[in-house]
Amino acid sequence: MKNDSPYRALAETYEAIRPGYPEALIDDLFSHAAPTNSGPLLEIGAGTGKATQALLERGFSVDAVEPDADMAALLERKLRTPKLRLFVSSFETFRPPCRAYPMICCAQAFHWLDRDTKFGRCAQLLAPEGCLVLFWYDPLPAEACEANQAAEQVKRRYFGTALEAKAVSLDTREQEIQAAKAFRLVFWRQYTVVLHNTPEQALQAMASTPAFQEAMGKLPPEDRRAFSEEFRDAACAHGGRLEAPMQYSLYV
């Protein structure tokens, strides 16, 4: 995870629109990876604190590492507590104050880390019997309701299929974890949550992703405005509520 974060300048949008994590996922996290001592937990790629807040609410102290200065600043403003120590750093260059964390968590960020070193570095920083906990959410294809279908047609007209949600193969993630010789997979589970967004919220959700920002940047200014207007109008003409199914996955 390098300091040139792909989410640079997206911190406020990310915080405003990105979802948190289901209670069932957090419950399973602590049921299957109960910390073995009272030391702080380490969170990699904390972002604006979506997962950090859930960890703190369970009573734990957290050392949070985040490479993007804007996201780190927002996290610090949002979660002012002595139980949180924040480090603005890539994980690869992070100098930990603790050498034996009972748990290392990484939510929605492990794929950004250096593939060749990330598992080994986590193993070095964990206490004996400590757990590495990884979790993600991924958008699922959604055209079930009329508003979704109408809005998706507008998106395809401007961007083709480049921005369509594609289900992530859990096999790929599981295989990567299984191949990490320092760890063995002891628990994994999926959770599906359907979000309901206004057209504006749906546009903000798209705007919180680097892929959408890149695609919009390739359009002339008049096309950017036209896309947003047509997207809103299409959704509003069919009830004004868009479904956004999300697939969460937890690996311990």
Side-chain angles (χ1 to χ4, degrees):
M1 182 183 290
K2 301 177 181 178
N3 284 317
D4 55 338
S5 166
Y7 293 96
R8 185 171 301 282
L10 294 180
E12 295 290 344
T13 302
Y14 190 102
E15 171 61 19
I17 199 64
R18 287 297 186 98
Y21 296 92
E23 281 294 314
L25 185 154
I26 302 299
D27 288 342
D28 283 341
L29 186 162
F30 285 106
S31 293
H32 294 275
T36 55
N37 64 49
S38 60
L41 312 182
L42 175 62
E43 184 186 5
I44 305 168
T48 63
K50 298 287 185 178
T52 318
Q53 186 167 359
L55 299 175
L56 290 168
E57 287 174 351
R58 297 299 176 108
F60 293 94
S61 297
V62 178
D63 285 352
V65 182
E66 171 53 46
D68 185 89
D70 291 342
M71 286 198 162
L74 198 157
L75 187 159
E76 193 168 35
R77 291 195 303 272
K78 183 174 79 170
L79 301 174
R80 293 184 178 276
T81 168
K83 287 184 171 291
L84 173 66
R85 293 189 294 189
L86 180 60
F87 303 87
V88 183
S89 169
S90 68
F91 179 58
E92 290 77 10
T93 60
F94 169 55
R95 295 185 177 181
C98 176
R99 292 287 177 177
Y101 288 101
M103 181 193 296
I104 296 177
C105 293
C106 188
Q108 203 67 12
F110 204 67
H111 53 285
W112 293 114
L113 304 184
D114 182 80
R115 185 181 182 91
D116 295 330
T117 63
K118 57 188 179 182
F119 284 105
R121 187 134 207 265
C122 287
Q124 291 172 357
L125 296 178
L126 276 171
E129 304 303 319
C131 286
L132 174 62
V133 180
L134 309 174
F135 46 111
W136 285 269
Y137 58 79
D138 301 288
L140 294 173
E143 293 186 16
C145 67
E146 290 185 359
N148 276 71
Q149 293 174 15
E152 194 64 28
Q153 287 177 5
V154 174
K155 191 164 70 169
R156 285 177 187 153
R157 195 161 66 248
Y158 280 87
F159 304 108
T161 60
L163 297 178
E164 288 186 5
K166 298 177 179 66
V168 173
S169 170
L170 294 185
D171 290 342
T172 301
R173 289 176 180 160
E174 184 177 349
Q175 286 167 9
E176 184 183 38
I177 295 167
Q178 297 282 23
K181 301 186 184 305
F183 294 94
R184 61 184 177 88
L185 185 63
V186 297
F187 177 82
W188 76 272
R189 183 180 172 188
Q190 290 177 259
Y191 315 77
T192 300
V193 176
V194 179
L195 308 177
H196 295 86
N197 293 326
T198 65
E200 194 58 43
Q201 288 172 326
L203 284 167
Q204 283 186 308
M206 288 188 286
S208 74
T209 66
F212 181 78
Q213 291 287 337
E214 181 181 357
M216 281 288 270
K218 294 177 181 177
L219 296 180
E222 59 272 20
D223 284 353
R224 294 176 211 165
R225 290 191 295 271
F227 164 72
S228 297
E229 290 172 6
E230 290 179 32
F231 186 93
R232 291 188 193 97
D233 290 346
C236 288
H238 295 83
R241 283 285 169 180
L242 295 155
E243 294 180 355
M246 308 297 290
Q247 177 180 269
Y248 292 78
S249 49
L250 169 67
Y251 302 83
V252 178

